[in-house]
């Protein structure tokens, strides 16, 4: 069965997306959880250890605190409180830390450092996985054991104000609440005022036990302008005044003889140097934890804060309020909180924490007895029983005190070891689903590779032996074998597998598909064994030029580089190197064309240089200028790439270094940024409007003017008559003004494209329609890009224009070469934007351009479009370029689609094998998981583009016949 290259590539890509989805379902682990579905209760607590005698009571020590106020400031970095600028940013808080009754710590948050997983960690004590990054957009109710449920069950009255993620996670848990939308990052004033307005009345009341405040303004400022913005200090001073107000109110209501209060200041995560979060850099994971209570010793000076895990707050608050610890908590008690309690109570608190961790260890690790922490806990528990026996006998000697301190130390070591062992056990991978997904993807990749000679031949068609395979005996035997393996795995698996939970119909379809792919693989491989006969049949000569070798070696080399975490973290360096090398190779080809080969033979000259018709149609001076422009294009491209590298520091190791983008965004250089933005917008118009209709030209001009107006409205740039950069509005009207013109241009282009496909086979109309759609996309991207990133878009369009006009056409590069070059440029421009393989570099503020409130669908679409603008623009330009080349064979379109599919499939398939091999390494979560998501997104993007290619190839087929 013969299938066109574009149809074949589209099918392979869509199937690969399904395979990778199955792999991702198995790769994102289920967090460590107890096998018991019920929640911990006071009646389930173990008895106090006692050696030799009847069972002791299961009494809990008296709660440490009567009231707890948790003030959570989103994206609060530890250096904002403890750093050199702490006294300037938060003077009252710093005074309490240095001289008040407080305990201060640096709480380390585990990646992913986004809000919803951090709230789950704070309330359950467990370590969420990277799948919670996706769930962060629409948080479901939290059903597992947690601190909020325990408090509500115990009759505690809870009041909450702030981020509505809490309301979605804990519905019907709060006596009173007022939620604010966390995703509308353009607002950093009202979102906090809506929390503070409730404070005065709430602090005067006595009808609550726990008050939770979640402030979002600091996080929003970080997303908008970064941690060094002029808006940071006023916001931190505001937070400091609120803490002072709460502290003063708690002091004034403290009654003599009653239990003390506890005021907690913490952050859910930190903030990177670019103002975002989600990764594992020090500024993102280090957050301040300040515990303020008269139950603590008064400090006499600034002490270096200790380091704890963020999840350690969960058992500390639970036992401090007299509640059971959540079943799935991996945290341990913060020792400083217990310093002023009796030795018996300290040991009892640590025993309860150790018992809970040991139970979780039994459920999570098969050979839990061999864990050092478990054995240490058993030894400490026995020593605790001996100590209790002496204590109850009335022994008050110093020996008893020393023995108790020794038991205390043993407990602390055991807790640390068990907590560490559980933290390393990040989750239980679904290996069966991972292997099934990996097999699917690799089968498809091998079929793609074996079909390459036919797909890139003159016919641009692939002969797939589908019917012969489906009627063969090996196919049915293989189906039977795989079905038996499936039954065996599903009946013997200790943990639940997603693939085993599917219906038998879906499983049979997957088994049949995998068996058919394997048989097709064998058939195609056997067909290609006699190479001489095969080359005669396909009439394909395998002669590789120097450029072909470079493109092939560079693509394979990049794939191999993904085996090292350092190369993944700094992948942009690989693409920068490859792009520079490509420019030098192209420059060599240009020099060979215009200089060396001009002195060759007459036949060779006629073949390489433009024809006589070309000379008659173009004056000699124009040909001469084209020659020098072609020679100047590769060096100019090199210069642009070098300048763009300095615009945004990216990666991990050098992301903190200053760059041109930071310089342009500083307030003293606002005029320079304004002039640069205006120049770039004018140049964008000149480069894009050439092939548009006059209606689209007018819409494009007005749209770009609206882009500048939007940036001026939000305070990024200035109009000549403005004297300050103060934002006069949120730019909603200006952004919607641009959206109108974007929709108008897209509508005009779609109309022309449909007319060329349905009514009249006009190649010019079709080319104009595609270009207008591309122009509408450029206008939308220019609105979403930050002002300092407009040169990236400008250079992208300029390089595309020069390469298309003077390189790809003049040097007669084929569709495969042109496609690979577009792919390389697209990958490099992804990093020129300031992106990296780190979730923290995703700019979510662009998802709210032109929106007055959070709307999920457009916010996700705009964020994804802005993040992948570089690769998307180059892929769209490839579609326009191949479509406009009417002199070429229509099979070039199929070749382009096939090459794109191959380019995306090779690294994606190699990458999932790498991730499977390294799945137990902790560093994989902060580096490899985001990269895996990026690869999946690129694969989806390529699948969509191949469908467009397929439509284009169908439109070429009449002329082909």
């Amino acid at each position: 069965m013969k299938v066109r290259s574009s149809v074949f590539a589209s099918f392979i890509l869509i199937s690969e997306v399904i395979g990778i989805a199955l792999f991702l379902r198995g790769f994102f682990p289920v967090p460590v959880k107890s096998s018991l579905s019920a929640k911990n209760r006071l009646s389930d607590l173990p008895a106090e250890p006692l050696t030799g005698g009847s069972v002791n009571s299961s009494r809990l020590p008296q709660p440490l605190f009567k009231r707890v106020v948790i003030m959570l400031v989103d994206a609060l970095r530890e250096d904002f409180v403890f750093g050199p600028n702490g006294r300037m940013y938060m003077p009252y808080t710093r005074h309490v830390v240095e001289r008040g009754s407080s305990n201060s710590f640096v709480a380390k948050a585990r990646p992913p450092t986004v809000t919803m997983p951090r709230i789950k960690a704070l309330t359950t004590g467990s370590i969420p996985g990277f799948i919670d990054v996706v769930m962060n957009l629409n948080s479901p109710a939290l059903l597992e054991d947690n601190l909020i449920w325990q408090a509500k069950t115990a009759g505690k009255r809870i009041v909450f104000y702030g981020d509505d993620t809490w309301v979605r996670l804990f519905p019907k848990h709060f006596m009173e609440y007022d939620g604010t939308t966390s995703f509308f990052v353009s607002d950093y004033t009202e979102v906090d005022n809506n929390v503070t307005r409730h404070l005065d009345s709430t602090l005067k009341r006595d009808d609550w036990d726990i008050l939770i405040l979640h402030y979002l303004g600091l996080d929003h400022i970080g997303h908008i302008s970064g941690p060094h913005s002029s808006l940071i200090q006023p916001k931190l001073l505001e937070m400091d005044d609120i803490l002072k107000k709460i502290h003063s109110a708690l002091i004034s209501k403290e009654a003599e003889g009653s239990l003390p209060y506890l005021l907690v200041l913490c952050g859910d995560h930190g903030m990177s140097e670019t103002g975002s979060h989600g990764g594992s850099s020090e500024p993102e994971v280090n957050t301040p934890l300040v515990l303020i209570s008269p139950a603590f010793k008064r400090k006499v000076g600034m002490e270096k804060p200790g380091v704890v895990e963020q999840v350690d707050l969960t058992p500390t608050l639970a036992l401090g309020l007299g509640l059971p610890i959540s079943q799935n908590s991996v945290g341990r008690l913060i020792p400083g909180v217990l310093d002023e309690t009796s030795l018996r109570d300290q040991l009892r608190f640590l025993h309860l924490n150790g018992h809970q961790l040991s139970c979780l260890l039994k459920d999570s690790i098969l050979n839990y007895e061999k864990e050092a922490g478990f054995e240490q806990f058993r030894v400490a528990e026995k020593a605790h029983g001996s100590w209790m026996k002496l204590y109850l006998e009335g022994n008050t000697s110093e020996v008893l005190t020393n023995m108790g301190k020794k038991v205390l130390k043993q407990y602390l070591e055991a807790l640390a070891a068990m907590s560490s062992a559980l933290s390393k056990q990040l989750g239980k991978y679904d290996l069966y689903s991972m292997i099934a997904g990996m097999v699917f993807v690799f089968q498809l990749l091998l079929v793609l590779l074996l079909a390459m000679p036919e797909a890139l031949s003159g016919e641009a068609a692939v002969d797939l032996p589908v019917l012969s395979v489906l009627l063969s005996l090996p196919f049915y035997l293989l189906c039977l074998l795989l079905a038996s393996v499936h039954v065996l795995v599903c009946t013997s698996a200790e943990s639940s597998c997603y693939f085993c939970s599917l219906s038998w119909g879906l499983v049979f379809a997957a088994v049949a598909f995998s068996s058919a792919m394997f048989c097709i693989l064998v058939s195609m491989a056997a067909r290609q064994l006699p190479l001489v006969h095969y080359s005669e049949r396909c009439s394909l000569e395998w002669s590789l030029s120097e450029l072909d070798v470079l493109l092939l070696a560079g693509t394979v080399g990049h794939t191999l580089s993904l085996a090292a975490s350092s190369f993944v973290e700094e992948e942009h360096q690989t693409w920068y190197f490859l792009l520079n090398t490509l420019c030098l190779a192209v420059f060599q080809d240009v020099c060979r064309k215009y200089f060396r080969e001009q002195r060759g033979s007459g036949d060779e000259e006629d073949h390489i240089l433009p024809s006589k018709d070309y000379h008659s149609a173009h004056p000699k001076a124009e040909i001469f200028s084209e020659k020098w422009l072609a020679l100047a294009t590769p060096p100019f491209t090199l210069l642009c790439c070098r300048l763009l590298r300095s615009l945004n520091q990216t990666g991990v190791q050098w992301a903190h270094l200053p760059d041109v983008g930071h310089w342009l965004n500083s307030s003293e250089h606002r005029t320079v940024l304004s002039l640069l933005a205006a120049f770039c917008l004018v140049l964008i118009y000149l480069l894009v409007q050439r092939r548009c209709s006059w209606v689209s030209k007018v819409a494009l001009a007005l749209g770009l003017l609206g882009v500048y107006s939007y940036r001026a409205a939000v305070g990024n740039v200035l109009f000549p008559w403005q004297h300050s950069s103060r934002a006069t509005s949120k730019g909603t009207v200006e952004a919607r003004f641009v959206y109108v013109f974007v929709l108008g241009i897209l509508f005009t282009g779609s109309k022309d494209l449909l007319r060329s496909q349905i009514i009249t086979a006009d190649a010019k109309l079709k080319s104009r329609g595609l270009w207008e759609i591309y122009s509408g996309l450029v206008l939308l991207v220019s609105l979403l890009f930050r002002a300092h990133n407009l040169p990236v878009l400008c250079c992208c369009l300029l390089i595309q224009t020069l390469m298309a006009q003077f390189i790809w056409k003049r040097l007669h590069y084929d569709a495969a070469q042109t496609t690979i070059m577009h792919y390389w440029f697209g990958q490099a421009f992804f990093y020129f934007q300031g992106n990296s393989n780190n979730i923290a570099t995703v700019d979510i503020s662009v998802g709210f351009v032109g929106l007055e409130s959070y709307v999920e669908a457009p916010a996700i679409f705009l964020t994804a479009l802005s993040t992948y603008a570089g690769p998307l623009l180059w892929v769209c330009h490839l579609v326009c370029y191949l479509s406009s080349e009417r002199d070429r064979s229509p099979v070039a379109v199929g070749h382009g689609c096939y090459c794109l599919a191959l380019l995306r499939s090779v690294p994606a398939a190699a990458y999932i094998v790498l991730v499977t091999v390294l799945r137990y390494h902790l560093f994989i979560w902060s580096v490899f998981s985001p990269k895996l998501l990026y690869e999946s997104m690129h694969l989806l993007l390529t699948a969509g583009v191949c469908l467009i290619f397929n439509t284009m190839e169908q439109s070429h087929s009449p002329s082909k016949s």
Side-chain angles (χ1 to χ4, degrees), residues 428-449:
K428 300 174 182 177
Y429 292 87
D430 183 357
L431 280 179
Y432 183 39
S433 298
M434 289 174 66
I435 292 171
M438 185 174 65
V439 169
F440 282 175
V441 171
F442 254 86
Q443 283 181 332
L444 294 164
L445 174 62
L446 290 174
V447 170
L448 203 61
L449 288 171

Side-chain angles (χ1 to χ4, degrees), residues 190-260:
E190 291 300 321
V191 73
D192 286 344
N193 291 342
N194 287 336
V195 178
T196 308
R197 65 193 173 101
H198 298 284
L199 266 185
D200 290 332
S201 60
T202 304
L203 291 173
K204 291 176 184 176
R205 289 158 33 197
D206 294 320
D207 61 344
W208 55 268
D209 301 300
I210 300 174
L211 173 62
I212 303 173
L213 309 169
H214 190 149
Y215 285 93
L216 291 162
L218 183 66
D219 178 67
H220 291 185
I221 290 173
H223 284 296
I224 294 170
S225 53
H228 306 293
S229 165
S230 58
L231 300 171
I232 290 288
Q233 184 177 356
K235 177 56 67 176
L236 288 173
L237 287 171
E238 179 190 340
M239 296 296 102
D240 191 59
D241 289 339
I242 292 168
L243 183 89
K244 183 178 180 181
K245 178 190 288 189
I246 297 170
H247 193 201
S248 301
L250 290 174
I251 292 174
S252 65
K253 294 188 75 70
E254 187 180 3
E256 193 172 338
S258 64
L259 288 174

Side-chain angles (χ1 to χ4, degrees), residues 842-861:
V842 177
D843 182 10
I844 65 170
S845 63
V846 298
F848 308 96
V849 173
L851 301 180
E852 289 183 341
S853 61
Y854 174 63
V855 185
E856 188 171 330
I860 294 173
F861 170 76

Side-chain angles (χ1 to χ4, degrees), residues 636-666:
F636 178 78
T637 303
L638 271 175
L639 177 64
C640 287
C641 293
R642 185 62 192 87
L643 293 175
L644 292 179
R645 286 177 62 177
S646 304
L647 189 62
N648 294 298
Q649 288 287 356
T650 185
V652 174
Q653 297 183 23
W654 297 283
H656 63 282
L657 297 178
D659 51 37
V660 178
H662 283 94
W663 185 84
L664 288 171
N665 283 314
S666 60

Side-chain angles (χ1 to χ4, degrees), residues 877-930:
H877 183 269
L878 177 65
V879 175
C880 295
Y881 175 76
L882 292 180
S883 175
S884 63
E885 289 296 280
R886 288 173 295 163
D887 296 334
R888 298 191 177 196
S889 169
V891 299
V893 177
H895 290 173
C897 173
Y898 184 83
C899 289
L900 266 181
L902 199 60
L903 286 168
R904 287 310 323 159
S905 298
V906 172
Y911 202 70
I912 63 173
V913 175
L914 170 69
V915 170
T916 305
V917 172
L918 299 176
R919 65 186 183 277
Y920 292 117
H921 291 246
L922 286 177
F923 69 86
I924 199 172
W925 288 107
S926 58
V927 179
F928 286 77
S929 296

